[in-house]
Amino acid sequence: MVKKIALSVALFTTLCAQAQYTRTAGSFELGMRNTVSLFGNNNTAGFGTGGQFRIMLGKQLNTEWFADYIQTDLYAKGKRTDAHIGWSVMFYLLNEPKKLDPYIIAGHCFDYTRVNVYRTLTEPGQEYKSRWSSAAQAGIGCHYYIGQRFNLSLSTQYMLHLGNDIHAELESENGTEVLHVEQTDTNNKLTFEGHMLTTLSLNFRIGQLWGER
Amino acid sequence: MGRKIIYTTLLIVSTQLAGAQQEPTTILVPESFNYKGILSATATLSTGYNTAFKSMNYFLHGYLGYQLDNRIAVRGDIYYFLNSSTKNDPVEPFAFQHNMFTGAEYHFLKSKLDWFAGIQPGLVFGQRQYLQIQSLDGASPLEPPKKTVAACFSFNMGINYYASKFFYLFLETRYNTGWFSDNYSVASLSEVRGSFGLGFYLRVWKPKDVHSIDG
């Protein structure tokens, strides 16, 4: 019981601590990020690097403009490469920022996807398949402020893509497992495809584009 | 008993952190040890141990950092691949793998000694090496491994010692992780690296109150 109380108090104290950070409209932040992609079509995890900048429009309203480069291994038989470029709007739940500052995030994204089957060292492999798609994403996130100019952010979003379907499947041929990649090739066969993106980012307040400094 | 100590420590640290945010502490230090506005750079040699391939990698390592305040610094690193060696495999896993990282560091100010820890997302630009890339009939060589860019994540920690007005000594270690996929296979980038040497620093911006160190 004592342990639970101690843990709760510690957690509560951290959550309630006032941040030195102040949210002001016109604030410009620059940051780097790592993203983990989960729960896609192939149930394999992808890993990516990217960057973003943020322009704050109001005390409880921020925008994030991002680009990501994500690679996903497909059963050690091939790989999927995703390039994302997009934007999101962040709605802060608290009027004044605490040290932990939660927010809701949603936005749009354009995506280039390419799926390769690995060649073997003695056999040429299958050619790659690629597509362009657009996507919408939404989720939740939280800043952790350190000082007035720096924050760590962790967010999780579900991203839903609309585009031609690229389907990679592991099949058994003559006792060996082979990865097959197929793509719908007509413009009329658009399909939805989703995955969950968890992003950890480091962000620096560079300056103030307008408003009070 | 052990758990009680952990919980109590957690409580104290948490409370201290909260308090530090509400009332910035002020420590009087000589002007030269106020880190705000310091630009630092170095070039040195670095060695790494890839835990998946059990291979040693050798790099030329350089970075450029800027101290935003006394705690937080932004920093960009470049590792230029020089060579690698393995004991067990006939060929080294990579023909080359250059790295670029950008990220942030938290500095624990302690007089001339400056402990730091940071996290840095990054990119790898590399090319694998394989023992055999030849078609079964032996007539036509298959295409070579492609030069590829891959994502990676690293965290580093170390210590700087500001020995004189423009120079400092540093010692740091880094853990880098990620996956490298080319047109043949996927490979782990898990690697522990170490660097040490001499760095150069210069104050490019002088804060108004050089004696104040506030979180």
Side-chain angles (χ1 to χ4, degrees), chain B:
Chain B
M1 182 63 186
R3 285 189 178 177
K4 278 184 182 175
I5 292 170
I6 290 169
Y7 288 130
T8 310
T9 308
L10 188 62
L11 178 62
I12 292 168
V13 169
S14 166
T15 310
Q16 289 299 313
L17 279 174
Q21 291 301 317
Q22 287 168 339
E23 294 179 11
T25 54
T26 299
I27 311 165
L28 293 177
V29 294
E31 179 181 347
S32 59
F33 302 136
N34 189 303
Y35 296 157
K36 286 181 182 176
I38 280 180
L39 190 71
S40 57
T42 189
T44 187
L45 296 173
S46 173
T47 56
Y49 178 73
N50 186 306
T51 56
F53 292 104
K54 300 189 185 335
S55 63
M56 295 295 293
N57 296 321
Y58 310 104
F59 301 91
L60 184 63
H61 174 206
Y63 70 71
L64 186 67
Y66 179 71
Q67 204 74 36
L68 289 174
D69 57 33
N70 280 303
R71 300 294 184 209
I72 303 296
V74 290
R75 181 172 140 177
D77 288 54
I78 288 179
Y79 284 84
Y80 183 83
F81 180 85
L82 298 174
N83 204 351
S84 69
S85 62
T86 57
K87 282 186 178 176
N88 302 325
D89 297 323
V91 296
E92 285 77 35
F94 287 92
F96 70 88
Q97 54 152 327
H98 308 309
N99 290 221
M100 185 188 76
F101 299 100
T102 49
E105 280 172 354
Y106 189 87
H107 289 253
F108 303 88
L109 181 63
K110 192 83 175 175
S111 183
K112 287 185 175 183
L113 284 176
D114 174 26
W115 291 92
F116 62 87
I119 50 179
Q120 291 181 307
L123 290 171
V124 176
F125 174 59
Q127 187 178 30
R128 291 290 309 277
Q129 267 185 161
Y130 297 103
L131 186 60
Q132 179 193 14
I133 301 177
Q134 186 76 24
S135 62
L136 280 176
D137 57 14
S140 57
L142 301 177
E143 66 172 341
K146 283 187 176 171
K147 294 172 184 173
T148 307
V149 175
C152 58
F153 171 78
S154 77
F155 54 87
N156 64 330
M157 58 187 295
I159 185 169
N160 296 326
Y161 179 71
Y162 289 84
S164 73
K165 193 171 183 182
F166 295 112
F167 298 99
Y168 66 97
L169 304 168
F170 74 95
L171 172 68
E172 71 169 54
T173 184
R174 171 187 300 273
Y175 179 72
N176 178 40
T177 186
W179 293 276
F180 184 91
S181 305
D182 63 1
N183 45 338
Y184 284 96
S185 66
V186 61
S188 170
L189 293 169
S190 289
E191 187 171 350
V192 180
R193 292 181 186 169
S195 304
F196 65 91
L198 182 69
F200 175 78
Y201 75 95
L202 187 68
R203 188 182 295 283
V204 293
W205 173 73
K206 191 172 183 179
K208 289 175 186 171
D209 180 7
V210 294
H211 296 295
S212 169
I213 298 172
D214 51 355

Side-chain angles (χ1 to χ4, degrees), chain A residues 126-189:
Chain A
Q126 187 184 358
E127 289 301 312
Y128 69 85
K129 306 282 186 189
S130 67
R131 69 146 195 227
W132 284 91
S133 68
S134 58
Q137 73 274 359
I140 55 170
C142 191
H143 299 315
Y144 179 74
Y145 296 114
I146 302 173
Q148 293 187 26
R149 301 181 67 176
F150 179 73
N151 69 72
L152 280 169
S153 303
L154 182 68
S155 68
T156 295
Q157 297 180 82
Y158 192 77
M159 183 175 277
L160 196 62
H161 292 273
L162 178 65
N164 290 340
D165 180 45
I166 297 183
H167 192 67
E169 198 164 308
L170 202 59
E171 293 173 354
S172 181
E173 284 185 3
N174 301 323
T176 58
E177 289 190 317
V178 179
L179 186 70
H180 283 289
V181 182
E182 292 176 357
Q183 181 178 21
T184 55
D185 55 359
T186 63
N187 292 327
N188 296 326
K189 289 189 177 177

Side-chain angles (χ1 to χ4, degrees), chain A residues 17-86:
Chain A
Q18 290 291 335
Q20 284 182 303
Y21 197 93
T22 50
R23 295 196 221 108
T24 51
S27 159
F28 179 78
E29 287 182 356
L30 199 60
M32 287 74 69
R33 54 202 252 158
N34 275 120
T35 298
V36 176
S37 170
L38 296 167
F39 308 119
N41 270 357
N42 296 101
N43 290 323
T44 51
F47 182 71
T49 287
Q52 82 271 351
F53 63 87
R54 291 176 180 156
I55 298 173
M56 194 169 282
L57 300 180
K59 197 174 179 183
Q60 285 185 267
L61 186 67
N62 206 345
T63 60
E64 183 175 87
W65 306 76
F66 62 89
D68 282 318
Y69 176 76
I70 302 169
Q71 289 186 316
T72 309
D73 176 55
L74 301 173
Y75 317 109
K77 301 286 183 187
K79 67 171 175 177
R80 173 184 168 131
T81 306
D82 288 288
H84 290 163
I85 184 163

